[in-house]
Amino acid sequence: MSATSTSVNAPATAAPWHAGMGAFLKGEGDTWLFVLRTTVAFFLTGWLAMRFQLPQPGTAMMTTVIVMHRQSGMVLAKAFYRVLGTLVGAAAALLIVGLFPQQREPFLVLMALWIAGCTAGATLHRNFKSYAFVLAGYTAAIIALPVISSHPGQIFDSAVARISEVLLGLLVTAVISDTIFPVRLRDTLRAAVSSQYENFLGFMRGALLGEVARERMEQAHLRVVRDAVALEDLRSSVIFEDPEARARSAHLQRFNQRFMAASTTFQSLHHLINRLLRQPDPTAGRALQALYQPLGVALQASAQQPGQLAAQVHEVRSGLRTRAAQLRQELMDASQAEDFAVGVELLRRFVKELEQYVHARGQLTLQVAPTQDDARAHFIRGNDYAGAAVAFTRTAITMLLLGALWAASGWAMAVNVMLLATIFSGLFATVPNAARMTGKVAWGYLLGVLAAYVCDYMVLTRMEGFTLFAAGLLPFFLVGPYMVSRPKLSVFGLGYTMGLVNILAITSLHAFDPLRFFNEGTSHMFAMGAAVLSFALMPPLVGTAWLRRRQMAGLRAQVRLAALAPLPGLQHRFESSNSDLLHQIVAHTAPGSAESSEQLAWALAVNETGRALIHLRHDVAHEPASTQLHQHVDAVVLALSDFFALPTAHGWTRAEQALEAAVVLARAQAGERGVAARALLHLRLVRLAMVDDHSVMAAYITPSEPTRESAVHAH
């Protein structure tokens, strides 16, 4: 039977020689369309700059190279932040030159501090917001440095010229990317929304019906984090491309917030049930499994419209109380009943959040105005200021040393050295292995300089007029965008293109000056060497083990945020900053390693404990409770925030004792309903997590007198 099957299936599995040809041709087609758009924007910008008699058409042409992207939304987003950075940098240049018009040393000190501050700001932001800070730094240098030594009075003219050149390049690039075979970012966003929605519902369905292996459950949290951060990144860029997406931006933020809330609650529910199933008597855990089965059945019809699915989830939610009461009657032990009540509360919250998530998905396709809650659902980023401090220090030292070289030597080309060093200090301040990355750019830049020499003195000397100029430059230029479009060559291609365009110094009346070419080429390579050396001597902290440890400490400190921050908007702030921090950490950790497992375990513990504290604080703050209960809750909140800030066995003991005392008091004051009863559920949930020796808490658990919660780690 097996032999027959093999012979029959063999032809079906043999791939024809042309199987991958379609994908290859499509990829090459997309690449050459990108090259076409870049090339048209580059030469059209140069022609217009010369027609408008701008002083440096090469600056406008370089702008098209820097902002061009495969997707039009990315081009518009990048252009917006480049305009913003250019205007801020121009204002800074005017101010700095105005303060020290004829005092080069104070000018250089203040300029170095400004550039360093902008570089530090770039490390604290994501996407093209970071790029705006980089632009603000080196635009000030581009405007101010060439005029400070000889003609400070021309600073305003220099600023107007640079702004005009940059704006022209941005305008032409935006028009070309939006008209010549545009690739819409909104399509990518829609695909990301659909993928997130379908994958999450599919995972929920499989997990609730027992079709997902338990070892995959925690890894699913990483996907949730990646999806949430990716969707926010896309949303922040697509608003520049599509008016409809811009109008729905608040809905997208709310949709993402519902996604993070539902996934966090489900992880808490999953871990609670696992803990209860590990107890000597797993009756409560099995009862909870029976309770959530109708939800898994409802999700089997997830292919239907969001409105219909939300109605089915709401129906499951409406029947929870009755079904829970029936299952509760089968639990004879009081502690089992209490554990079951904790799980019922978590399941009720999860079903409500899942219904809201499905409803939010439906609203993305409807013409509805955003609510006040939608407008408040901002994605908060998590930052570590140590990296910004290193970037500030490195850039300031580099600029001060290069400024001192200029002041001491009087070398005219030292201005070029400072300009290029400024650009690359900012561009690569936020990437790991910045010295290696800058080194690749330097090799590409050198190749671009050599290509520019061949182009300038062996081709362009035989050309006259813009048409022949473009024809002569075209073969040399095409190499750059093509390499940029290839992932393995993109950095090298960026250096090549910048070297080619910068060293040609394209103007309306092109001058062939070998001495200038040699001097500028030497200064450019000196600047690249200075940038590589600065990154080698003081590398960025991105991706280092030291920074990952700091970021993990920052992630654990989010429990203090949940414990002490004002309650309005706290849940979304807590979840979004947690997701961003974890995303930064795991991006530079080997997948499947022990370090990665520990990071994920702590992230889940932080999410579970932080959410429980937020709900606990909310219940106690919004309904009258006894002064004694308030005091015990405050003691629990502070003890937990201290433990997560600095995990120790002593801190665990202090938190466990505070939890035990609060649980005993809440149990004594609890009635059928009321704040004490709800507080008891939150406190029990946290305590069950704190004594779970299958979790990250195992290293800190101190043996004590047996309690009802101790059963979870009895084995």
Side-chain angles (χ1 to χ4, degrees):
M1 179 68 71
S2 59
T4 304
S5 300
T6 303
S7 61
V8 170
N9 292 336
T13 58
W17 65 271
H18 55 80
M21 186 62 68
F24 171 78
L25 292 177
K26 184 181 185 304
E28 284 297 301
D30 292 342
T31 295
W32 282 105
L33 285 177
F34 167 73
V35 173
L36 173 65
R37 289 192 294 269
T38 305
T39 304
V40 171
F42 179 80
F43 286 108
L44 179 58
T45 298
W47 181 78
L48 289 173
M50 293 176 187
R51 294 284 293 178
F52 295 151
Q53 298 183 356
L54 296 179
Q56 296 181 18
T59 300
M61 299 170 80
M62 178 59 74
T63 298
T64 66
V65 173
I66 293 176
V67 301
M68 185 56 78
H69 195 278
R70 285 177 178 267
Q71 294 172 311
S72 58
M74 292 295 187
V75 172
L76 295 173
K78 203 171 185 180
F80 172 82
Y81 287 112
R82 185 173 176 88
V83 169
L84 191 61
T86 298
L87 295 177
V88 173
L94 292 171
L95 177 62
I96 295 172
V97 173
L99 291 174
F100 304 106
Q102 295 180 340
Q103 298 169 286
R104 184 164 57 180
E105 288 75 16
F107 163 82
L108 289 175
V109 171
L110 190 55
M111 180 61 70
L113 294 177
W114 169 257
I115 295 170
C118 291
T119 302
T123 66
L124 299 176
H125 292 79
R126 311 288 186 272
N127 303 322
F128 299 127
K129 292 181 181 179
S130 173
Y131 184 63
F133 281 87
V134 175
L135 261 295
Y138 75 69
T139 297
I142 290 173
I143 292 173
L145 288 176
V147 302
I148 189 63
S149 60
S150 55
H151 305 289
Q154 296 180 359
I155 181 64
F156 184 78
D157 294 337
S158 177
V160 171
R162 296 297 84 75
I163 292 173
S164 301
E165 291 155 1
V166 168
L167 291 181
L168 175 63
L170 296 177
L171 178 62
V172 173
T173 305
V175 171
I176 294 300
S177 67
D178 202 46
T179 55
I180 298 182
F181 304 106
V183 179
R184 301 298 183 190
L185 186 61
R186 64 169 178 254
D187 298 331
T188 305
L189 176 65
R190 287 170 181 169
V193 169
S194 298
S195 175
Q196 183 203 94
Y197 179 74
E198 295 298 335
N199 289 336
F200 184 63
L201 290 186
F203 174 74
M204 290 295 102
R205 181 172 60 251
L208 292 172
L209 295 177
E211 299 171 358
V212 176
R214 294 195 180 277
E215 56 269 18
R216 287 180 50 201
M217 298 290 289
E218 292 188 348
Q219 290 299 320
H221 185 66
L222 290 180
R223 180 165 188 166
V224 168
V225 168
R226 286 192 293 266
D227 286 352
V229 174
L231 186 61
E232 172 60 20
D233 290 342
L234 285 170
R235 184 207 61 82
S236 64
S237 295
V238 77
I239 58 176
F240 296 97
E241 174 193 82
D242 187 30
E244 183 180 353
R246 185 163 55 250
R248 298 178 186 276
S249 178
H251 293 99
L252 282 167
Q253 288 184 310
R254 174 58 65 181
F255 173 74
N256 214 17
Q257 188 269 334
R258 301 295 193 197
F259 172 61
M260 290 184 289
S263 61
T264 300
T265 303
F266 179 76
Q267 287 288 349
S268 297
L269 177 64
H270 160 68
H271 288 119
L272 173 65
I273 293 175
N274 277 353
R275 292 177 192 123
L276 297 181
L277 290 175
R278 290 197 302 268
Q279 288 185 348
D281 183 1
T283 306
R286 291 172 182 167
L288 287 173
Q289 287 180 319
L291 182 61
Y292 68 52
Q293 280 182 352
L295 179 60
V297 174
L299 291 179
Q300 285 184 309
S302 60
Q304 60 187 318
Q305 292 298 317
Q308 296 173 327
L309 181 59
Q312 288 199 9
V313 175
H314 181 76
E315 184 178 348
V316 172
R317 179 184 164 201
S318 300
L320 275 180
R321 184 185 299 275
T322 302
R323 186 170 173 81
Q326 294 172 349
L327 292 170
R328 165 68 179 81
Q329 294 176 356
E330 301 175 7
L331 302 175
M332 299 296 102
D333 184 74
S335 64
Q336 293 280 340
E338 199 167 79
D339 291 340
F340 179 74
V342 174
V344 170
E345 174 64 19
L346 266 182
L347 181 58
R348 184 199 60 79
R349 187 195 308 164
F350 168 66
V351 176
K352 178 181 178 181
E353 290 170 346
L354 182 62
E355 179 186 345
Q356 291 172 335
Y357 172 67
V358 175
H359 181 68
R361 176 66 180 95
Q363 285 192 319
L364 292 178
T365 61
L366 301 176
Q367 298 291 337
V368 291
T371 64
Q372 291 184 348
D373 287 340
D374 294 335
R376 286 195 295 264
H378 297 296
F379 194 97
I380 307 299
R381 300 287 188 172
N383 288 312
D384 188 286
Y385 291 92
V390 170
F392 179 90
T393 304
R394 179 186 58 250
T395 306
I397 292 174
T398 303
M399 293 301 106
L400 289 172
L401 289 176
L402 293 177
L405 172 66
W406 180 23
S409 66
W411 183 29
M413 293 298 164
V415 174
N416 292 334
V417 176
M418 290 194 68
L419 288 177
L420 272 183
T422 298
I423 293 173
F424 289 107
S425 294
L427 285 178
F428 297 109
T430 59
V431 300
N433 301 319
R436 182 170 175 267
M437 188 79 70
T438 312
K440 287 184 177 181
V441 174
W443 283 109
Y445 201 99
L446 177 60
L447 181 61
V449 170
L450 296 176
Y453 181 85
V454 175
C455 177
D456 208 11
Y457 294 101
M458 297 183 184
V459 178
L460 296 184
T461 52
R462 296 173 172 80
M463 304 294 181
E464 184 176 352
F466 183 81
T467 302
L468 292 179
F469 164 80
L473 179 56
L474 180 62
F476 298 91
F477 176 78
L478 288 176
V479 176
Y482 184 81
M483 286 195 295
V484 168
S485 69
R486 320 308 293 182
K488 293 183 178 180
L489 297 174
S490 59
V491 176
F492 191 83
L494 174 65
Y496 170 87
T497 310
M498 294 185 70
L500 176 71
V501 179
N502 270 342
I503 201 68
L504 285 176
I506 300 170
T507 59
S508 299
L509 296 175
H510 191 64
F512 299 95
D513 185 351
L515 182 60
R516 177 205 65 83
F517 191 99
F518 176 79
N519 286 335
E520 288 201 358
T522 303
S523 66
H524 290 183
M525 297 315 301
F526 188 90
M528 298 298 299
V532 173
L533 183 62
S534 69
F535 282 123
L537 294 177
M538 191 177 293
L541 297 179
V542 178
T544 62
W546 182 83
L547 184 60
R548 291 200 301 272
R549 289 193 295 270
R550 279 185 57 87
Q551 288 172 328
M552 277 306 305
L555 181 62
R556 291 194 301 269
Q558 290 293 101
V559 175
R560 184 175 293 275
L561 174 74
L564 302 176
L567 283 172
L570 177 57
Q571 178 177 320
H572 184 49
R573 178 185 175 189
F574 172 79
E575 289 170 340
S576 58
S577 56
N578 280 4
S579 295
D580 190 57
L581 273 170
L582 183 60
H583 187 264
Q584 294 179 62
I585 295 168
V586 300
H588 305 290
T589 306
S593 63
E595 182 184 6
S596 176
S597 299
E598 183 181 9
Q599 291 166 354
L600 182 56
W602 271 116
L604 294 171
V606 167
N607 276 348
E608 185 173 13
T609 305
R611 278 287 298 276
L613 289 184
I614 292 172
H615 288 289
L616 174 63
R617 291 179 57 205
H618 183 275
D619 287 345
V620 173
H622 286 77
E623 286 192 30
S626 68
T627 302
Q628 194 176 11
L629 181 59
H630 266 292
Q631 292 173 345
H632 278 70
V633 167
D634 290 342
V636 167
V637 166
L638 291 176
L640 286 170
S641 64
D642 290 343
F643 168 74
F644 276 88
L646 185 63
T648 62
H650 174 72
W652 180 91
T653 301
R654 177 170 167 257
E656 200 276 337
Q657 290 173 347
L659 279 165
E660 182 179 6
V663 165
V664 171
L665 179 63
R667 186 181 291 127
Q669 295 184 358
E672 277 300 313
R673 305 174 69 85
V675 63
R678 289 196 298 277
L680 174 61
L681 299 180
H682 301 312
L683 291 168
R684 284 276 290 171
L685 173 64
V686 175
R687 194 169 186 215
L688 285 168
M690 290 293 289
V691 299
D692 183 2
D693 66 356
H694 287 71
S695 72
V696 74
M697 299 298 163
Y700 309 98
I701 293 176
T702 303
S704 59
E705 292 296 325
T707 65
R708 283 190 290 179
E709 285 79 4
S710 300
V712 78
H713 57 90
H715 302 307

